[in-house]
Amino acid sequence: MGVLSASGARQTISRVLLTVRMSSSSSAPLLLINDPKYSFLKELGLKEENAGVFNGQWAATGPVVESVAPASNSVIAKVQNGTVADWEKAIAATQQAHKQWRTVPAPKRGEIVRQIGDKLRHNLTNLGKLVSLEMGKIQAEGIGEVQEYVDICDFATGLSRSLAGQVLPSERPGHALLEQWNPLGVVGIISAFNFPCAVYGWNNALALVCGNSCIWKPAPTTPLTAIAVTKLVESVLVENNLPGSLCSLVCGEGDVGQALVKDKRVNLVSFTGSTEVGRIVGQQVQGRFGKVLLELGGNNAIIVNDDADLDMVIPAAVFAAVGTAGQRCTTTRRLLVHEKVYDEVVERMTRAYAQFESRIGDPLEANTIIGPLHNQHGVLKYKAAIAEAIASGGKVAYGGKVLERDGNYVLPTIITGLKGDAEVVIRETFAPILYVIKISTLDEAIELNNSVSQGLSSSLFTNNIQNVFKWIGPEGSDCGIVNVNIPTSGAEIGGAFGGEKETGGGRESGSDSWKQYMRRSTCTINHSKQLPLAQGIKFE
Ligand code: NAD
């Protein structure tokens, strides 16, 4: 084990990051792409070294970096990143592609998106394995992520026939008053490491049926997934004689992200990532009066009321707290438990965690249920948070250890004894750490749920109908996702996804989220021979 002091861990984070970055320029002796065990990589069209820029052509001029598997920290393959000059070429081509695409009728655009969904369907397992290898989530979750892209393609295809505006009654005779929805232009998508495929998919499918072109800057540590996805999309565009730059890609670091954020040619910036970066991005895009869609950090709670069915609570809370090794934006980080059932819940949760210890391992192995953290940065943040929790009076009821083996493995952790307003509890630590907090009433629990600055997902376990409607009403949860008797994670694509407060306020995926990808024109059409002016004014 190695629980560092909080300040010690913070200092070490920057040293380790520097080492990781430096080592990324040295040539690795063996690339996983050449190991027959990972033959799916070549089947997806990946090579030992891959251009990380697509603007209709694949060509990059930036530094060559290595993509690393979190399970072993071995190099999978290399990627040549984009530069700001590469960005310039790509955005020009993407804007050009939009001019052609916006004239294609929406149902025909839907047909292209249907074909993208089909292409992904045929590559579901290979792409899911790549997500798993490069991000570190277990294979079922990797495949599930690709399935979300497939599902949103189906959703968007249907939507392409119902992007409806309203026809409203005009107060003037012989006039029609209606809303027309038109494409925005270019949608820039900046994505986080933890959903390297689905987040792009949610944006890409909706943006395309709405008549926009897309340009994607993925997380610097998951470029291979972005390249493989873009190759599949490219093949559909080529088969339909459409410009590849309808879905451009520029892999790179924050400098490419900044070029995207500041570029006036990007009409909508859809940013998924930390609140820290999102706060900067939001202000920058607003500064140029662009549109911005922010999907930022969460600090999600499950409330266990005294009338909850504990046989449902325990598996739900374990799944939501340790799934994806605690690296979902919707991961349960706080368990607010009624004092009457507190001891039983802690005891049963601890037992459940212990049962899963033998199933922490390689995310591509069938038996594995908990994979590694994405990188050493995540491990250091895990250690720092646990040290801080202990220093603040918390007790490690389970876990708290980094596993001594290759890769970035940690034990999922349960911490008790902290107050709901402890500094470490109100912060999002992107690791499998669950703080269990005792509450006396439902009102107190709702207040605690709402007391953090993030507002993504929340759940209440209860069997009381009055509690349910209180929870989803004006005195209830202030989050974008408000669940009852299910965990905080596992949202369906049919609903609008996103959160309030420092989670950014954006909504992606289902319901009427498509409206964020279009501009609304209010049209008044005079079909009479008279010219009645508004407010009865006469210019005679
Ligand atoms: P991050 O903020 O570090 O990076 C996100 C993206 O922003 C990356 O592509 C990164 O290269 C880019 N970036 C960094 N600096 C930039 C800058 N100055 N300008 C423009 N782009 C810049 O986030 P991460 O560590 O990759 O992801 C984890 C975070 O994402 C967590 O906080 C998690 O909660 C959040 N997240 C939220 C949702 C959601 O839907 N709400 C979904 C997934 C992840």
Side-chain angles (χ1 to χ4, degrees):
M1 157 172 182
V3 174
L4 283 179
S5 76
S7 61
R10 277 199 210 98
Q11 283 163 14
T12 329
I13 288 174
S14 48
R15 280 205 301 275
V16 167
L17 281 180
L18 188 67
T19 319
V20 168
R21 203 157 297 281
M22 283 166 65
S23 70
S24 73
S25 61
S26 65
S27 62
L30 190 118
L31 300 175
L32 296 185
I33 193 164
N34 293 323
D35 182 338
K37 190 173 161 195
Y38 306 106
S39 58
F40 59 87
L41 295 168
K42 289 187 177 162
E43 286 163 24
L44 286 166
L46 296 171
K47 297 180 287 214
E48 286 186 13
E49 189 172 316
N50 305 275
V53 177
F54 179 66
N55 57 23
Q57 310 292 324
W58 288 94
T61 61
V64 175
V65 296
E66 294 168 340
S67 177
V68 169
S72 58
N73 287 327
S74 309
V75 179
I76 307 169
K78 298 180 191 182
V79 172
Q80 185 166 21
N81 268 342
T83 58
V84 174
D86 293 327
W87 162 263
E88 203 38 57
K89 270 195 200 164
I91 181 63
T94 311
Q95 198 182 32
Q96 199 54 39
H98 164 65
K99 292 193 173 140
Q100 177 183 343
W101 184 240
R102 67 186 172 184
T103 62
V104 175
K108 292 221 161 73
R109 300 196 294 248
E111 165 55 18
I112 303 302
V113 171
R114 188 195 65 76
Q115 291 180 33
I116 292 174
D118 244 17
K119 189 69 76 174
L120 291 159
R121 221 176 238 117
H122 289 126
N123 289 274
L124 186 75
T125 307
N126 278 352
L127 202 49
K129 283 183 179 172
L130 168 57
V131 169
S132 173
L133 180 68
E134 193 178 39
M135 186 277 157
K137 59 179 69 177
I138 60 171
Q139 190 174 311
E141 291 173 335
I143 291 174
E145 197 181 322
V146 183
Q147 184 63 45
E148 282 192 33
Y149 194 169
V150 171
D151 293 344
I152 199 75
C153 284
D154 287 349
F155 179 91
T157 303
L159 190 65
S160 70
R161 291 185 180 270
S162 61
L163 295 165
Q166 301 191 69
V167 178
L168 300 151
S170 168
E171 63 188 49
R172 285 169 277 191
H175 284 57
L177 178 59
L178 54 95
E179 284 177 349
Q180 167 92 5
W181 289 90
N182 285 307
L184 276 179
V186 175
V187 175
I189 301 155
I190 300 180
S191 56
F193 76 82
N194 65 326
F195 275 91
C197 173
V199 163
Y200 175 69
W202 293 350
N203 284 282
N204 174 247
L206 290 193
L208 284 180
V209 294
C210 290
N212 306 295
S213 53
C214 298
I215 186 159
W216 182 14
K217 195 216 86 67
T221 49
T222 55
L224 295 173
T225 302
I227 291 168
V229 166
T230 301
K231 280 184 185 294
L232 294 174
V233 173
E234 176 196 10
S235 67
V236 173
L237 299 178
V238 168
E239 284 159 20
N240 288 278
N241 292 317
L242 287 163
S245 55
L246 201 50
C247 298
S248 299
L249 170 74
V250 186
C251 293
E253 303 272 344
D255 57 337
V256 176
Q258 278 291 292
L260 186 158
V261 167
K262 290 181 177 162
D263 199 315
K264 281 193 167 185
R265 290 167 290 186
V266 179
N267 302 82
L268 169 68
V269 175
S270 176
F271 176 87
T272 302
S274 60
T275 294
E276 195 184 0
V277 178
R279 194 187 303 278
I280 299 167
V281 166
Q283 290 175 18
Q284 288 175 326
V285 179
Q286 176 60 34
R288 63 173 176 82
F289 293 102
K291 285 182 190 278
V292 64
L293 198 168
L294 298 174
E295 297 283 357
L296 313 177
N299 190 352
N300 318 294
I302 291 180
I303 298 175
V304 184
N305 205 36
D306 56 356
D307 60 356
D309 179 346
L310 296 190
D311 289 341
M312 287 169 73
V313 167
I314 305 302
V318 173
F319 165 74
V322 311
T324 324
Q327 300 165 107
R328 283 183 182 225
C329 51
T330 52
T331 291
T332 300
R333 308 203 180 278
R334 298 176 294 149
L335 195 61
L336 314 179
V337 187
H338 196 282
E339 58 194 9
K340 284 193 194 155
V341 292
Y342 180 87
D343 288 343
E344 184 181 349
V345 168
V346 172
E347 193 269 320
R348 286 177 69 174
M349 288 291 292
T350 310
R351 244 188 307 134
Y353 270 49
Q355 278 170 9
F356 286 126
E357 194 164 326
S358 62
R359 297 183 65 186
I360 300 173
D362 184 336
L364 284 166
E365 294 293 331
N367 185 49
T368 301
I369 212 154
I370 304 169
L373 289 179
H374 185 57
N375 53 27
Q376 279 296 307
H377 190 193
V379 174
L380 290 173
K381 286 200 156 180
Y382 165 89
K383 291 206 284 191
I386 291 168
E388 186 179 335
I390 293 168
S392 311
K395 179 174 163 280
V396 176
Y398 184 84
K401 286 183 191 165
V402 174
L403 296 180
E404 289 187 9
R405 53 170 104 153
D406 288 345
N408 312 314
Y409 293 98
V410 300
L411 280 186
T413 298
I414 298 173
I415 298 204
T416 57
L418 286 175
K419 289 238 166 13
D421 62 356
E423 198 49 46
V424 71
V425 174
I426 62 174
R427 199 174 66 225
E428 179 197 49
T429 298
F430 224 51
I433 304 172
L434 179 69
Y435 303 104
V436 188
I437 293 156
K438 199 184 278 186
I439 48 109
S440 310
T441 64
L442 180 59
D443 285 344
E444 181 195 347
I446 294 175
E447 205 176 311
L448 261 187
N449 176 74
N450 296 351
S451 67
V452 294
S453 56
Q454 311 85 350
L456 183 51
S457 187
S458 55
S459 300
L460 168 65
F461 278 77
T462 183
N463 279 318
N464 177 318
I465 194 83
Q466 287 162 343
N467 291 342
V468 170
F469 280 89
K470 178 176 217 172
W471 174 239
I472 67 169
E475 294 174 302
S477 169
D478 66 358
C479 294
I481 298 167
V482 183
N483 295 334
V484 176
N485 293 338
I486 63 160
T488 54
S489 57
E492 296 183 25
I493 59 114
F497 181 88
E500 302 297 333
K501 303 189 290 184
E502 292 193 3
T503 303
R507 291 296 185 279
E508 281 174 351
S509 205
S511 186
D512 63 353
S513 302
W514 61 271
K515 289 182 177 170
Q516 293 178 94
Y517 299 83
M518 302 198 88
R519 61 183 168 83
R520 182 198 321 235
S521 310
T522 301
C523 311
T524 311
I525 299 157
N526 181 359
H527 54 87
S528 74
K529 290 286 182 194
Q530 309 300 317
L531 191 63
L533 299 177
Q535 297 161 342
I537 296 172
K538 290 195 167 48
F539 266 78
E540 288 170 350

